[in-house]
Amino acid sequence: MGLALVAPPLVGSCCDIALGSGPGWGLLVGGVVGAVASIVLGARRKVLWWVAPLPALIVAALAAAVYLLTRPSSSGGGKAASTDLIRWAVAAFPAMATAQCAVLAVLAARGLKSLFDRSRNHA
């Protein structure tokens, strides 16, 4: 389940870096795929209470880690690195929000499914 959460956004981040950009569509798509996969697996194992908040945190951590690993070494010191890291965090926010929305959509679909199943059983 952890690999399902981490691997897709990591691959997406690597694709973004290979294309020469900051966090973009690769991180966004990878974050959503990882979020949906982890929430579906978490629902089957009944561990949603700790899986649900993780996708946004994983996307943020991966964006920061990829930045720190790929930044140019000639970067001008602490202030420049901090500014660049903040830019990456802001650029990664849409991916974080989309991943969390994917979690909420899967949870809503599961809730509606159980509601319809209950109403059919009582009818």
Side-chain angles (χ1 to χ4, degrees):
M1 184 167 33
L3 187 60
L5 181 59
V6 175
L10 182 61
V11 170
S13 294
C14 292
C15 290
D16 286 340
I17 292 300
L19 294 173
S21 66
W25 286 103
L27 181 63
L28 184 117
V29 171
V32 169
V33 169
V36 170
S38 67
I39 205 71
V40 167
L41 291 172
R44 288 184 184 161
R45 295 181 182 169
K46 298 184 180 178
V47 290
L48 288 176
W49 59 275
W50 69 269
V51 175
L54 289 179
L57 298 172
I58 295 295
V59 168
L62 282 174
V66 168
Y67 164 73
L68 291 173
L69 292 173
T70 60
R71 71 181 176 157
S73 60
S74 63
S75 171
K79 286 185 180 181
S82 297
T83 303
D84 288 343
L85 189 57
I86 290 171
R87 284 187 189 135
W88 267 63
V90 169
F93 182 77
M96 294 166 47
T98 305
Q100 205 59 44
C101 287
V103 167
L104 295 174
V106 170
L107 291 176
R110 287 187 56 83
L112 287 173
K113 182 182 178 293
S114 72
L115 183 66
F116 287 134
D117 289 345
R118 259 191 276 157
S119 68
R120 270 192 226 148
N121 290 340
H122 292 299

